[in-house]
Amino acid sequence: MDPIVAIIGKYFLGLIVVILIGYAAFQSLKQYQSSSGVSELTDRSTYISSNYLEQPKTSSSNRSVSILHARVSMGALAGDVRVAALCTLVLYIKFYAALFVQGTVKYKSGSRPPEDMTFAATTAPNKELFIPETSEDKLEAAKAREHRWNRIVGNDLENLPLGIMMAWVAIVAGGNGTVTSIAIILFTVSRIAHSIAFANAMFLPRTISFQVGALCTVALAINAVAGSFS
């Protein structure tokens, strides 16, 4: 690999780190110092209550309004929730797509349970896709591909839960909404890019996307802590 490309990638990643963490800290401090924050949340609560909820007539209605007010007062604004929910869904689909590929490549390496191999060889369409390789070179290549996808799935298991959790904690804790939305979007994109780069043996894109995702998780955690103390 060209060392110049590696150096540029390294310092570009450092620049992303500084910008992301600095922006998170600035927005969190701005939110903390804002004197209109409470009144803004109250206005949002009143608006949502008057437009989307009937006036409370029963104890059940009172509980609904109280829950809604608590949700708004914690900073879980509709836009942030939509972004986080959409990114969570995308990451969920991405993870199961990786699981599907992982399970499929195990047929060619002969690593599936015997009953799976028997079923695929006798009843599945396109049976040639599920028959283990017989030549030594192709079998080694199939095992290497299986190992690669095992590592992709393992990396997702290590990083996806924490990143998603930090995004929702930041929302509940009242962290800055802009920081939360940007960080979870970058986290989602970086995790998808990481899997693609890993599957295609692309070292630098894989490394950069992994570190960007990790830094987004850190930014979300900082935003959550700042929001909880604001």
mmCIF file of all heavy atoms in Angstrom, residues 151-202:
data_model
loop_
_atom_site.group_PDB
_atom_site.id
_atom_site.type_symbol
_atom_site.label_atom_id
_atom_site.label_comp_id
_atom_site.label_asym_id
_atom_site.label_seq_id
_atom_site.Cartn_x
_atom_site.Cartn_y
_atom_site.Cartn_z
ATOM 1 N N ARG A 151 -15.585 -13.441 11.111
ATOM 2 C CA ARG A 151 -15.009 -12.263 11.752
ATOM 3 C C ARG A 151 -15.872 -11.023 11.521
ATOM 4 O O ARG A 151 -15.968 -10.148 12.393
ATOM 5 C CB ARG A 151 -13.591 -12.036 11.231
ATOM 6 C CG ARG A 151 -12.626 -13.154 11.621
ATOM 7 C CD ARG A 151 -11.217 -12.869 11.164
ATOM 8 N NE ARG A 151 -10.664 -11.708 11.848
ATOM 9 C CZ ARG A 151 -9.455 -11.199 11.591
ATOM 10 N NH1 ARG A 151 -8.691 -11.752 10.664
ATOM 11 N NH2 ARG A 151 -9.016 -10.153 12.252
ATOM 12 N N ILE A 152 -16.491 -10.930 10.349
ATOM 13 C CA ILE A 152 -17.392 -9.799 10.085
ATOM 14 C C ILE A 152 -18.563 -9.820 11.061
ATOM 15 O O ILE A 152 -18.911 -8.801 11.676
ATOM 16 C CB ILE A 152 -17.899 -9.839 8.627
ATOM 17 C CG1 ILE A 152 -16.753 -9.529 7.661
ATOM 18 C CG2 ILE A 152 -19.048 -8.851 8.422
ATOM 19 C CD1 ILE A 152 -17.103 -9.726 6.200
ATOM 20 N N VAL A 153 -19.176 -10.992 11.210
ATOM 21 C CA VAL A 153 -20.306 -11.118 12.136
ATOM 22 C C VAL A 153 -19.848 -10.878 13.575
ATOM 23 O O VAL A 153 -20.527 -10.198 14.358
ATOM 24 C CB VAL A 153 -20.965 -12.505 11.997
ATOM 25 C CG1 VAL A 153 -21.991 -12.737 13.101
ATOM 26 C CG2 VAL A 153 -21.627 -12.638 10.631
ATOM 27 N N GLY A 154 -18.695 -11.425 13.935
ATOM 28 C CA GLY A 154 -18.179 -11.213 15.282
ATOM 29 C C GLY A 154 -17.921 -9.744 15.574
ATOM 30 O O GLY A 154 -18.204 -9.253 16.674
ATOM 31 N N ASN A 155 -17.401 -9.027 14.586
ATOM 32 C CA ASN A 155 -17.148 -7.599 14.770
ATOM 33 C C ASN A 155 -18.452 -6.831 14.940
ATOM 34 O O ASN A 155 -18.533 -5.890 15.738
ATOM 35 C CB ASN A 155 -16.363 -7.061 13.569
ATOM 36 C CG ASN A 155 -15.747 -5.707 13.842
ATOM 37 O OD1 ASN A 155 -16.398 -4.683 13.707
ATOM 38 N ND2 ASN A 155 -14.481 -5.699 14.223
ATOM 39 N N ASP A 156 -19.479 -7.228 14.193
ATOM 40 C CA ASP A 156 -20.793 -6.602 14.369
ATOM 41 C C ASP A 156 -21.337 -6.850 15.771
ATOM 42 O O ASP A 156 -21.902 -5.954 16.405
ATOM 43 C CB ASP A 156 -21.777 -7.149 13.335
ATOM 44 C CG ASP A 156 -21.658 -6.444 11.992
ATOM 45 O OD1 ASP A 156 -20.974 -5.403 11.926
ATOM 46 O OD2 ASP A 156 -22.248 -6.935 11.013
ATOM 47 N N LEU A 157 -21.178 -8.070 16.255
ATOM 48 C CA LEU A 157 -21.674 -8.395 17.595
ATOM 49 C C LEU A 157 -20.961 -7.580 18.675
ATOM 50 O O LEU A 157 -21.540 -7.279 19.723
ATOM 51 C CB LEU A 157 -21.490 -9.888 17.872
ATOM 52 C CG LEU A 157 -22.425 -10.835 17.106
ATOM 53 C CD1 LEU A 157 -22.009 -12.282 17.327
ATOM 54 C CD2 LEU A 157 -23.868 -10.628 17.543
ATOM 55 N N GLU A 158 -19.722 -7.210 18.416
ATOM 56 C CA GLU A 158 -18.960 -6.430 19.390
ATOM 57 C C GLU A 158 -19.322 -4.948 19.362
ATOM 58 O O GLU A 158 -19.213 -4.265 20.385
ATOM 59 C CB GLU A 158 -17.461 -6.581 19.120
ATOM 60 C CG GLU A 158 -16.916 -7.977 19.370
ATOM 61 C CD GLU A 158 -15.483 -8.125 18.891
ATOM 62 O OE1 GLU A 158 -14.940 -7.137 18.342
ATOM 63 O OE2 GLU A 158 -14.907 -9.210 19.050
ATOM 64 N N ASN A 159 -19.743 -4.444 18.204
ATOM 65 C CA ASN A 159 -19.883 -2.996 18.046
ATOM 66 C C ASN A 159 -21.312 -2.496 17.867
ATOM 67 O O ASN A 159 -21.633 -1.400 18.342
ATOM 68 C CB ASN A 159 -19.043 -2.536 16.845
ATOM 69 C CG ASN A 159 -17.560 -2.660 17.096
ATOM 70 O OD1 ASN A 159 -16.935 -1.774 17.660
ATOM 71 N ND2 ASN A 159 -16.969 -3.775 16.674
ATOM 72 N N LEU A 160 -22.158 -3.253 17.178
ATOM 73 C CA LEU A 160 -23.513 -2.758 16.919
ATOM 74 C C LEU A 160 -24.325 -2.527 18.192
ATOM 75 O O LEU A 160 -24.944 -1.461 18.330
ATOM 76 C CB LEU A 160 -24.261 -3.719 15.989
ATOM 77 C CG LEU A 160 -23.771 -3.810 14.541
ATOM 78 C CD1 LEU A 160 -24.709 -4.697 13.727
ATOM 79 C CD2 LEU A 160 -23.668 -2.435 13.907
ATOM 80 N N PRO A 161 -24.368 -3.482 19.134
ATOM 81 C CA PRO A 161 -25.210 -3.251 20.318
ATOM 82 C C PRO A 161 -24.818 -1.998 21.100
ATOM 83 O O PRO A 161 -25.687 -1.224 21.516
ATOM 84 C CB PRO A 161 -24.999 -4.526 21.155
ATOM 85 C CG PRO A 161 -24.591 -5.562 20.163
ATOM 86 C CD PRO A 161 -23.768 -4.831 19.152
ATOM 87 N N LEU A 162 -23.518 -1.782 21.282
ATOM 88 C CA LEU A 162 -23.077 -0.636 22.074
ATOM 89 C C LEU A 162 -23.387 0.678 21.365
ATOM 90 O O LEU A 162 -23.837 1.645 21.996
ATOM 91 C CB LEU A 162 -21.579 -0.739 22.355
ATOM 92 C CG LEU A 162 -21.012 0.264 23.369
ATOM 93 C CD1 LEU A 162 -21.718 0.116 24.712
ATOM 94 C CD2 LEU A 162 -19.515 0.066 23.537
ATOM 95 N N GLY A 163 -23.161 0.729 20.051
ATOM 96 C CA GLY A 163 -23.447 1.955 19.315
ATOM 97 C C GLY A 163 -24.923 2.303 19.331
ATOM 98 O O GLY A 163 -25.306 3.460 19.556
ATOM 99 N N ILE A 164 -25.774 1.304 19.085
ATOM 100 C CA ILE A 164 -27.218 1.541 19.102
ATOM 101 C C ILE A 164 -27.674 1.947 20.501
ATOM 102 O O ILE A 164 -28.481 2.869 20.673
ATOM 103 C CB ILE A 164 -27.966 0.286 18.624
ATOM 104 C CG1 ILE A 164 -27.664 0.025 17.142
ATOM 105 C CG2 ILE A 164 -29.468 0.432 18.831
ATOM 106 C CD1 ILE A 164 -28.193 -1.299 16.630
ATOM 107 N N MET A 165 -27.157 1.262 21.509
ATOM 108 C CA MET A 165 -27.539 1.572 22.885
ATOM 109 C C MET A 165 -27.156 3.003 23.250
ATOM 110 O O MET A 165 -27.949 3.739 23.856
ATOM 111 C CB MET A 165 -26.879 0.590 23.848
ATOM 112 C CG MET A 165 -27.220 0.837 25.309
ATOM 113 S SD MET A 165 -26.399 -0.331 26.412
ATOM 114 C CE MET A 165 -24.685 0.179 26.233
ATOM 115 N N MET A 166 -25.947 3.436 22.868
ATOM 116 C CA MET A 166 -25.510 4.790 23.196
ATOM 117 C C MET A 166 -26.378 5.843 22.511
ATOM 118 O O MET A 166 -26.631 6.915 23.071
ATOM 119 C CB MET A 166 -24.046 4.977 22.792
ATOM 120 C CG MET A 166 -23.037 4.323 23.717
ATOM 121 S SD MET A 166 -23.066 5.017 25.394
ATOM 122 C CE MET A 166 -23.999 3.777 26.272
ATOM 123 N N ALA A 167 -26.851 5.545 21.300
ATOM 124 C CA ALA A 167 -27.723 6.495 20.607
ATOM 125 C C ALA A 167 -29.023 6.693 21.374
ATOM 126 O O ALA A 167 -29.473 7.829 21.588
ATOM 127 C CB ALA A 167 -28.008 6.002 19.187
ATOM 128 N N TRP A 168 -29.629 5.598 21.808
ATOM 129 C CA TRP A 168 -30.892 5.714 22.537
ATOM 130 C C TRP A 168 -30.691 6.286 23.939
ATOM 131 O O TRP A 168 -31.556 7.013 24.446
ATOM 132 C CB TRP A 168 -31.585 4.355 22.592
ATOM 133 C CG TRP A 168 -32.154 3.981 21.259
ATOM 134 C CD1 TRP A 168 -31.636 3.102 20.355
ATOM 135 C CD2 TRP A 168 -33.334 4.514 20.658
ATOM 136 N NE1 TRP A 168 -32.412 3.044 19.231
ATOM 137 C CE2 TRP A 168 -33.469 3.897 19.384
ATOM 138 C CE3 TRP A 168 -34.284 5.436 21.056
ATOM 139 C CZ2 TRP A 168 -34.522 4.191 18.524
ATOM 140 C CZ3 TRP A 168 -35.340 5.729 20.202
ATOM 141 C CH2 TRP A 168 -35.446 5.109 18.950
ATOM 142 N N VAL A 169 -29.557 5.985 24.560
ATOM 143 C CA VAL A 169 -29.267 6.586 25.864
ATOM 144 C C VAL A 169 -29.113 8.100 25.714
ATOM 145 O O VAL A 169 -29.588 8.872 26.556
ATOM 146 C CB VAL A 169 -27.995 5.965 26.478
ATOM 147 C CG1 VAL A 169 -27.524 6.765 27.681
ATOM 148 C CG2 VAL A 169 -28.262 4.525 26.888
ATOM 149 N N ALA A 170 -28.455 8.534 24.629
ATOM 150 C CA ALA A 170 -28.297 9.972 24.399
ATOM 151 C C ALA A 170 -29.645 10.656 24.225
ATOM 152 O O ALA A 170 -29.854 11.777 24.696
ATOM 153 C CB ALA A 170 -27.419 10.207 23.165
ATOM 154 N N ILE A 171 -30.582 9.990 23.565
ATOM 155 C CA ILE A 171 -31.920 10.560 23.386
ATOM 156 C C ILE A 171 -32.642 10.661 24.726
ATOM 157 O O ILE A 171 -33.191 11.699 25.083
ATOM 158 C CB ILE A 171 -32.734 9.708 22.392
ATOM 159 C CG1 ILE A 171 -32.160 9.858 20.980
ATOM 160 C CG2 ILE A 171 -34.204 10.110 22.407
ATOM 161 C CD1 ILE A 171 -32.803 8.949 19.954
ATOM 162 N N VAL A 172 -32.630 9.573 25.474
ATOM 163 C CA VAL A 172 -33.341 9.551 26.756
ATOM 164 C C VAL A 172 -32.720 10.527 27.751
ATOM 165 O O VAL A 172 -33.419 11.181 28.524
ATOM 166 C CB VAL A 172 -33.349 8.118 27.334
ATOM 167 C CG1 VAL A 172 -33.918 8.104 28.741
ATOM 168 C CG2 VAL A 172 -34.157 7.192 26.432
ATOM 169 N N ALA A 173 -31.383 10.653 27.712
ATOM 170 C CA ALA A 173 -30.695 11.521 28.668
ATOM 171 C C ALA A 173 -30.811 12.995 28.308
ATOM 172 O O ALA A 173 -30.386 13.851 29.080
ATOM 173 C CB ALA A 173 -29.222 11.133 28.757
ATOM 174 N N GLY A 174 -31.369 13.298 27.142
ATOM 175 C CA GLY A 174 -31.524 14.694 26.752
ATOM 176 C C GLY A 174 -30.298 15.280 26.100
ATOM 177 O O GLY A 174 -30.068 16.490 26.178
ATOM 178 N N GLY A 175 -29.488 14.442 25.451
ATOM 179 C CA GLY A 175 -28.327 14.950 24.732
ATOM 180 C C GLY A 175 -28.731 15.797 23.540
ATOM 181 O O GLY A 175 -29.890 15.777 23.103
ATOM 182 N N ASN A 176 -27.777 16.538 23.007
ATOM 183 C CA ASN A 176 -28.065 17.400 21.869
ATOM 184 C C ASN A 176 -28.569 16.571 20.697
ATOM 185 O O ASN A 176 -27.923 15.607 20.272
ATOM 186 C CB ASN A 176 -26.803 18.170 21.475
ATOM 187 C CG ASN A 176 -27.052 19.114 20.320
ATOM 188 O OD1 ASN A 176 -26.916 18.731 19.168
ATOM 189 N ND2 ASN A 176 -27.422 20.345 20.628
ATOM 190 N N GLY A 177 -29.731 16.951 20.159
ATOM 191 C CA GLY A 177 -30.359 16.158 19.108
ATOM 192 C C GLY A 177 -29.564 16.120 17.822
ATOM 193 O O GLY A 177 -29.498 15.086 17.146
ATOM 194 N N THR A 178 -28.944 17.240 17.455
ATOM 195 C CA THR A 178 -28.160 17.283 16.222
ATOM 196 C C THR A 178 -26.962 16.352 16.305
ATOM 197 O O THR A 178 -26.660 15.610 15.364
ATOM 198 C CB THR A 178 -27.685 18.723 15.950
ATOM 199 O OG1 THR A 178 -28.815 19.592 15.876
ATOM 200 C CG2 THR A 178 -26.908 18.792 14.642
ATOM 201 N N VAL A 179 -26.278 16.386 17.433
ATOM 202 C CA VAL A 179 -25.122 15.509 17.628
ATOM 203 C C VAL A 179 -25.549 14.047 17.574
ATOM 204 O O VAL A 179 -24.900 13.212 16.930
ATOM 205 C CB VAL A 179 -24.429 15.821 18.965
ATOM 206 C CG1 VAL A 179 -23.313 14.815 19.238
ATOM 207 C CG2 VAL A 179 -23.868 17.231 18.958
ATOM 208 N N THR A 180 -26.653 13.728 18.244
ATOM 209 C CA THR A 180 -27.134 12.347 18.254
ATOM 210 C C THR A 180 -27.457 11.863 16.850
ATOM 211 O O THR A 180 -27.051 10.768 16.445
ATOM 212 C CB THR A 180 -28.381 12.229 19.147
ATOM 213 O OG1 THR A 180 -28.055 12.626 20.482
ATOM 214 C CG2 THR A 180 -28.901 10.800 19.165
ATOM 215 N N SER A 181 -28.176 12.678 16.088
ATOM 216 C CA SER A 181 -28.575 12.275 14.738
ATOM 217 C C SER A 181 -27.368 12.099 13.824
ATOM 218 O O SER A 181 -27.260 11.104 13.099
ATOM 219 C CB SER A 181 -29.541 13.309 14.144
ATOM 220 O OG SER A 181 -30.742 13.361 14.880
ATOM 221 N N ILE A 182 -26.444 13.062 13.861
ATOM 222 C CA ILE A 182 -25.255 12.970 13.005
ATOM 223 C C ILE A 182 -24.416 11.752 13.380
ATOM 224 O O ILE A 182 -23.952 10.999 12.513
ATOM 225 C CB ILE A 182 -24.419 14.259 13.107
ATOM 226 C CG1 ILE A 182 -25.169 15.428 12.465
ATOM 227 C CG2 ILE A 182 -23.058 14.075 12.437
ATOM 228 C CD1 ILE A 182 -24.468 16.762 12.610
ATOM 229 N N ALA A 183 -24.233 11.542 14.677
ATOM 230 C CA ALA A 183 -23.380 10.440 15.128
ATOM 231 C C ALA A 183 -23.969 9.082 14.770
ATOM 232 O O ALA A 183 -23.247 8.182 14.320
ATOM 233 C CB ALA A 183 -23.148 10.538 16.634
ATOM 234 N N ILE A 184 -25.278 8.904 14.934
ATOM 235 C CA ILE A 184 -25.865 7.592 14.642
ATOM 236 C C ILE A 184 -25.907 7.345 13.136
ATOM 237 O O ILE A 184 -25.755 6.203 12.677
ATOM 238 C CB ILE A 184 -27.276 7.461 15.273
ATOM 239 C CG1 ILE A 184 -27.793 6.022 15.137
ATOM 240 C CG2 ILE A 184 -28.246 8.437 14.670
ATOM 241 C CD1 ILE A 184 -26.946 4.970 15.791
ATOM 242 N N ILE A 185 -26.079 8.404 12.339
ATOM 243 C CA ILE A 185 -26.026 8.235 10.879
ATOM 244 C C ILE A 185 -24.619 7.844 10.446
ATOM 245 O O ILE A 185 -24.432 6.914 9.644
ATOM 246 C CB ILE A 185 -26.485 9.524 10.170
ATOM 247 C CG1 ILE A 185 -27.990 9.735 10.372
ATOM 248 C CG2 ILE A 185 -26.170 9.454 8.675
ATOM 249 C CD1 ILE A 185 -28.497 11.063 9.868
ATOM 250 N N LEU A 186 -23.607 8.548 10.966
ATOM 251 C CA LEU A 186 -22.224 8.204 10.636
ATOM 252 C C LEU A 186 -21.883 6.795 11.115
ATOM 253 O O LEU A 186 -21.177 6.046 10.425
ATOM 254 C CB LEU A 186 -21.269 9.214 11.273
ATOM 255 C CG LEU A 186 -21.163 10.582 10.600
ATOM 256 C CD1 LEU A 186 -20.246 11.495 11.410
ATOM 257 C CD2 LEU A 186 -20.651 10.450 9.176
ATOM 258 N N PHE A 187 -22.386 6.432 12.282
ATOM 259 C CA PHE A 187 -22.144 5.088 12.804
ATOM 260 C C PHE A 187 -22.735 4.038 11.869
ATOM 261 O O PHE A 187 -22.084 3.032 11.551
ATOM 262 C CB PHE A 187 -22.762 4.962 14.198
ATOM 263 C CG PHE A 187 -22.623 3.597 14.810
ATOM 264 C CD1 PHE A 187 -21.432 3.201 15.400
ATOM 265 C CD2 PHE A 187 -23.686 2.703 14.799
ATOM 266 C CE1 PHE A 187 -21.300 1.938 15.966
ATOM 267 C CE2 PHE A 187 -23.564 1.443 15.359
ATOM 268 C CZ PHE A 187 -22.369 1.061 15.942
ATOM 269 N N THR A 188 -23.953 4.276 11.411
ATOM 270 C CA THR A 188 -24.617 3.324 10.514
ATOM 271 C C THR A 188 -23.859 3.178 9.203
ATOM 272 O O THR A 188 -23.592 2.064 8.734
ATOM 273 C CB THR A 188 -26.060 3.779 10.244
ATOM 274 O OG1 THR A 188 -26.767 3.880 11.486
ATOM 275 C CG2 THR A 188 -26.781 2.798 9.338
ATOM 276 N N VAL A 189 -23.490 4.310 8.608
ATOM 277 C CA VAL A 189 -22.763 4.272 7.336
ATOM 278 C C VAL A 189 -21.411 3.591 7.503
ATOM 279 O O VAL A 189 -20.996 2.771 6.670
ATOM 280 C CB VAL A 189 -22.591 5.701 6.781
ATOM 281 C CG1 VAL A 189 -21.682 5.702 5.552
ATOM 282 C CG2 VAL A 189 -23.947 6.303 6.424
ATOM 283 N N SER A 190 -20.718 3.906 8.587
ATOM 284 C CA SER A 190 -19.385 3.336 8.799
ATOM 285 C C SER A 190 -19.446 1.830 9.035
ATOM 286 O O SER A 190 -18.569 1.089 8.578
ATOM 287 C CB SER A 190 -18.691 4.026 9.978
ATOM 288 O OG SER A 190 -19.357 3.753 11.197
ATOM 289 N N ARG A 191 -20.485 1.358 9.722
ATOM 290 C CA ARG A 191 -20.595 -0.083 9.958
ATOM 291 C C ARG A 191 -20.908 -0.840 8.664
ATOM 292 O O ARG A 191 -20.403 -1.941 8.438
ATOM 293 C CB ARG A 191 -21.673 -0.371 11.005
ATOM 294 C CG ARG A 191 -21.331 0.074 12.409
ATOM 295 C CD ARG A 191 -19.995 -0.436 12.883
ATOM 296 N NE ARG A 191 -19.877 -1.889 12.739
ATOM 297 C CZ ARG A 191 -18.759 -2.565 12.945
ATOM 298 N NH1 ARG A 191 -17.648 -1.929 13.284
ATOM 299 N NH2 ARG A 191 -18.741 -3.876 12.821
ATOM 300 N N ILE A 192 -21.725 -0.252 7.810
ATOM 301 C CA ILE A 192 -21.994 -0.879 6.513
ATOM 302 C C ILE A 192 -20.723 -0.886 5.669
ATOM 303 O O ILE A 192 -20.371 -1.898 5.045
ATOM 304 C CB ILE A 192 -23.135 -0.136 5.789
ATOM 305 C CG1 ILE A 192 -24.448 -0.308 6.561
ATOM 306 C CG2 ILE A 192 -23.287 -0.648 4.358
ATOM 307 C CD1 ILE A 192 -25.592 0.522 6.013
ATOM 308 N N ALA A 193 -20.015 0.249 5.657
ATOM 309 C CA ALA A 193 -18.765 0.335 4.897
ATOM 310 C C ALA A 193 -17.733 -0.651 5.435
ATOM 311 O O ALA A 193 -16.971 -1.248 4.663
ATOM 312 C CB ALA A 193 -18.222 1.761 4.958
ATOM 313 N N HIS A 194 -17.709 -0.832 6.745
ATOM 314 C CA HIS A 194 -16.754 -1.767 7.350
ATOM 315 C C HIS A 194 -16.992 -3.189 6.853
ATOM 316 O O HIS A 194 -16.043 -3.902 6.486
ATOM 317 C CB HIS A 194 -16.874 -1.716 8.870
ATOM 318 C CG HIS A 194 -16.000 -2.709 9.576
ATOM 319 N ND1 HIS A 194 -16.442 -3.974 9.915
ATOM 320 C CD2 HIS A 194 -14.708 -2.639 9.989
ATOM 321 C CE1 HIS A 194 -15.465 -4.639 10.512
ATOM 322 N NE2 HIS A 194 -14.406 -3.858 10.573
ATOM 323 N N SER A 195 -18.245 -3.620 6.825
ATOM 324 C CA SER A 195 -18.549 -4.981 6.373
ATOM 325 C C SER A 195 -18.193 -5.172 4.903
ATOM 326 O O SER A 195 -17.647 -6.210 4.514
ATOM 327 C CB SER A 195 -20.031 -5.295 6.602
ATOM 328 O OG SER A 195 -20.331 -5.325 7.982
ATOM 329 N N ILE A 196 -18.505 -4.167 4.082
ATOM 330 C CA ILE A 196 -18.185 -4.261 2.656
ATOM 331 C C ILE A 196 -16.676 -4.324 2.452
ATOM 332 O O ILE A 196 -16.164 -5.144 1.677
ATOM 333 C CB ILE A 196 -18.796 -3.070 1.895
ATOM 334 C CG1 ILE A 196 -20.324 -3.140 1.941
ATOM 335 C CG2 ILE A 196 -18.308 -3.044 0.450
ATOM 336 C CD1 ILE A 196 -21.012 -1.925 1.359
ATOM 337 N N ALA A 197 -15.950 -3.454 3.162
ATOM 338 C CA ALA A 197 -14.495 -3.436 3.022
ATOM 339 C C ALA A 197 -13.872 -4.730 3.542
ATOM 340 O O ALA A 197 -12.941 -5.276 2.934
ATOM 341 C CB ALA A 197 -13.921 -2.236 3.778
ATOM 342 N N PHE A 198 -14.383 -5.241 4.650
ATOM 343 C CA PHE A 198 -13.859 -6.483 5.222
ATOM 344 C C PHE A 198 -14.097 -7.648 4.264
ATOM 345 O O PHE A 198 -13.213 -8.488 4.044
ATOM 346 C CB PHE A 198 -14.537 -6.755 6.564
ATOM 347 C CG PHE A 198 -13.694 -7.553 7.523
ATOM 348 C CD1 PHE A 198 -13.874 -7.420 8.892
ATOM 349 C CD2 PHE A 198 -12.734 -8.445 7.079
ATOM 350 C CE1 PHE A 198 -13.106 -8.150 9.795
ATOM 351 C CE2 PHE A 198 -11.956 -9.186 7.971
ATOM 352 C CZ PHE A 198 -12.153 -9.038 9.326
ATOM 353 N N ALA A 199 -15.282 -7.706 3.682
ATOM 354 C CA ALA A 199 -15.609 -8.799 2.769
ATOM 355 C C ALA A 199 -14.735 -8.784 1.524
ATOM 356 O O ALA A 199 -14.478 -9.835 0.922
ATOM 357 C CB ALA A 199 -17.076 -8.733 2.375
ATOM 358 N N ASN A 200 -14.265 -7.594 1.141
ATOM 359 C CA ASN A 200 -13.456 -7.461 -0.070
ATOM 360 C C ASN A 200 -11.972 -7.261 0.223
ATOM 361 O O ASN A 200 -11.211 -6.863 -0.668
ATOM 362 C CB ASN A 200 -13.976 -6.293 -0.911
ATOM 363 C CG ASN A 200 -15.335 -6.580 -1.510
ATOM 364 O OD1 ASN A 200 -15.444 -7.228 -2.541
ATOM 365 N ND2 ASN A 200 -16.395 -6.112 -0.859
ATOM 366 N N ALA A 201 -11.562 -7.526 1.473
ATOM 367 C CA ALA A 201 -10.149 -7.472 1.870
ATOM 368 C C ALA A 201 -9.517 -6.115 1.578
ATOM 369 O O ALA A 201 -8.395 -6.023 1.081
ATOM 370 C CB ALA A 201 -9.359 -8.583 1.177
ATOM 371 N N MET A 202 -10.236 -5.040 1.916
ATOM 372 C CA MET A 202 -9.740 -3.680 1.711
ATOM 373 C C MET A 202 -9.297 -3.132 3.066
ATOM 374 O O MET A 202 -10.135 -2.742 3.886
ATOM 375 C CB MET A 202 -10.833 -2.818 1.084
ATOM 376 C CG MET A 202 -11.336 -3.358 -0.249
ATOM 377 S SD MET A 202 -12.877 -2.577 -0.805
ATOM 378 C CE MET A 202 -12.311 -0.902 -1.073
#
